[in-house]
């Protein structure tokens, strides 16, 4: 059953392109140890007009039921991301989709009322150096800027998707600066809750501070390797990692020095 669930979940997480608009991105999904029950980690991105919308989430349940909920949310996001003009409207639509799905649980499922999905919804316009975020009970992302890391904490978080009817309607969208060269690291709780042999949690922020000049792909790979080493290769929960970097704007002019040095230069975009 676990093998089936893992295969289904991997099929749902479509490979993402290295670039979307003005963004350079990388992502990873790490399955938990064999003795653990698979979770419902998910992520997706959608390009709509001159902006990019992204989601990362974690289903509260386990097993095939969690994969079903993840599939519902991913399908709803991929469709609704192109239909709603604002991020709050998109978030409300996704909550309705999750709620509709959860009402289909059989009454004999004693935990049906306790199913929900933590998520981060993000919108990054091409033309403005900002990022808009709605946090639905999800761990805060890490912002990497000028060699420093800080948590991007929403001042007005919303409940997890599937539970909005239990809270107020005043959940706002948080807007922060997101400049060329900045990197945002999204993750699920399987990353920060991974323990070593002495039961110490994985110190994500401390480790990321060592790799602030890495490209998104290099950053994700380093976290993967370090996380598996910390947990001795036995994660207790699935883990998803998603790195996003705003690339510098294209140069509009070409100087003589550019022509002299352009041949043979391989610019990877790893550093601003």
């Amino acid at each position: 059953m676990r093998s089936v669930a893992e295969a289904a979940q991997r099929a749902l997480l479509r490979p993402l392109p290295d670039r979307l608009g003005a963004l350079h991105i990388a992502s990873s999904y790490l399955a938990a140890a064999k003795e653990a029950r698979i979770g419902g980690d998910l992520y997706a991105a959608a390009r709509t007009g001159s902006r990019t919308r992204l989601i990362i989430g974690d289903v509260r349940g386990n097993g095939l039921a969690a994969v079903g909920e993840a599939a519902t949310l991913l399908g709803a996001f991929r469709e609704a991301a192109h239909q709603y003009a604002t991020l709050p409207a998109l978030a409300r639509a996704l909550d309705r989709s999750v709620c509709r799905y959860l009402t289909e649980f059989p009454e004999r499922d004693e935990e049906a009322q306790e199913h929900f999905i933590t998520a981060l919804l993000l919108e990054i316009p091409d033309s403005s150096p900002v990022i808009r975020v709605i946090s639905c009970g999800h761990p805060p992302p890490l912002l990497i800027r000028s060699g420093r890391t800080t948590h991007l904490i929403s001042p007005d978080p919303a409940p997890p998707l599937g539970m909005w009817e239990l809270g107020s309607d005043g959940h706002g969208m948080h807007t922060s600066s997101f400049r060329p060269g900045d990197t945002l690291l999204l993750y699920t709780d399987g990353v920060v809750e991974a323990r070593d042999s002495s039961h110490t949690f994985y110190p994500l922020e401390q480790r990321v501070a060592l790799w602030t000049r890495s490209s998104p792909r290099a950053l994700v790979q380093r976290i993967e390797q370090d996380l598996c080493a910390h947990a001795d290769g036995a994660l207790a929960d699935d883990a998803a990692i998603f790195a996003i970097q705003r690339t510098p704007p294209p140069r509009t002019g070409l100087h003589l020095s550019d022509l002299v040095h352009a041949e043979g230069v391989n610019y990877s975009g790893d550093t601003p």
Side-chain angles (χ1 to χ4, degrees):
M1 288 294 290
R2 188 186 187 287
S3 297
V4 171
E6 183 176 332
Q9 189 176 39
R10 286 187 179 277
L12 290 172
L13 297 178
R14 302 173 185 172
L16 298 176
D18 293 335
R19 293 188 180 273
L20 280 173
L23 306 177
H24 184 192
I25 64 177
S27 58
S28 173
Y29 161 72
L30 298 174
K34 292 182 179 179
E35 62 269 22
R37 298 185 65 190
I38 193 167
D41 290 7
L42 60 99
Y43 52 78
R47 183 77 179 150
T48 169
S50 59
R51 62 192 174 188
T52 303
R53 286 175 166 174
L54 309 103
I55 186 172
I56 186 169
D58 188 359
V59 177
R60 183 258 178 194
N62 293 290
L64 287 173
V67 175
E69 292 174 44
T72 296
L73 180 56
L74 285 172
F77 172 80
R78 288 166 179 153
E79 183 66 21
H82 301 279
Q83 296 180 344
Y84 292 89
T86 67
L87 201 61
L90 172 60
R92 286 191 292 270
L94 296 180
D95 179 72
R96 290 194 297 268
S97 295
V98 172
C99 288
R100 281 195 299 268
Y101 178 84
L102 294 180
T103 59
E104 298 175 358
F105 273 82
E107 293 183 1
R108 64 178 179 272
D109 185 347
E110 297 179 355
E111 296 185 352
Q113 301 303 318
E114 299 179 10
H115 286 232
F116 55 80
I117 305 175
T118 68
L120 277 173
L121 291 168
L122 303 97
E123 181 177 273
I124 307 175
D126 294 346
S127 57
S128 302
V130 299
I131 186 168
R132 304 179 183 113
V133 182
I134 294 180
S135 174
C136 303
H138 200 79
L142 277 174
L143 176 66
I144 305 170
R145 172 181 294 162
S146 301
R148 297 183 178 181
T149 61
T150 57
H151 279 105
L152 196 64
I153 299 176
S154 175
D156 187 19
L161 298 176
M163 300 183 68
W164 278 35
E165 63 181 13
L166 302 178
S168 67
D169 295 329
H171 309 299
M173 177 179 66
H174 177 51
T175 301
S176 295
S177 64
F178 191 53
R179 308 166 187 167
D182 288 354
T183 299
L184 197 66
L185 181 68
L186 316 178
Y187 53 92
T188 57
D189 58 10
V191 176
V192 292
E193 294 180 359
R195 299 172 183 255
D196 61 12
S197 57
S198 62
H199 303 288
T200 301
F201 289 117
Y202 181 68
L204 178 64
E205 186 174 6
Q206 296 177 23
R207 300 299 174 86
V208 170
L210 303 175
W211 309 315
T212 56
R213 297 190 178 277
S214 299
S215 68
R217 172 50 54 196
L219 178 62
V220 168
Q221 290 175 343
R222 284 169 172 159
I223 295 173
E224 280 183 357
Q225 296 169 0
D226 193 53
L227 179 64
C228 289
H230 178 85
D232 197 23
L235 296 175
D237 191 9
D238 290 1
I241 310 166
F242 199 160
I244 309 156
Q245 183 181 76
R246 184 185 286 278
T247 57
R251 300 178 65 180
T252 57
L254 189 63
H255 302 283
L256 179 60
S257 59
D258 295 322
L259 295 174
V260 172
H261 297 289
E263 185 175 358
V265 173
N266 180 15
Y267 174 64
S268 63
D270 289 354
T271 57

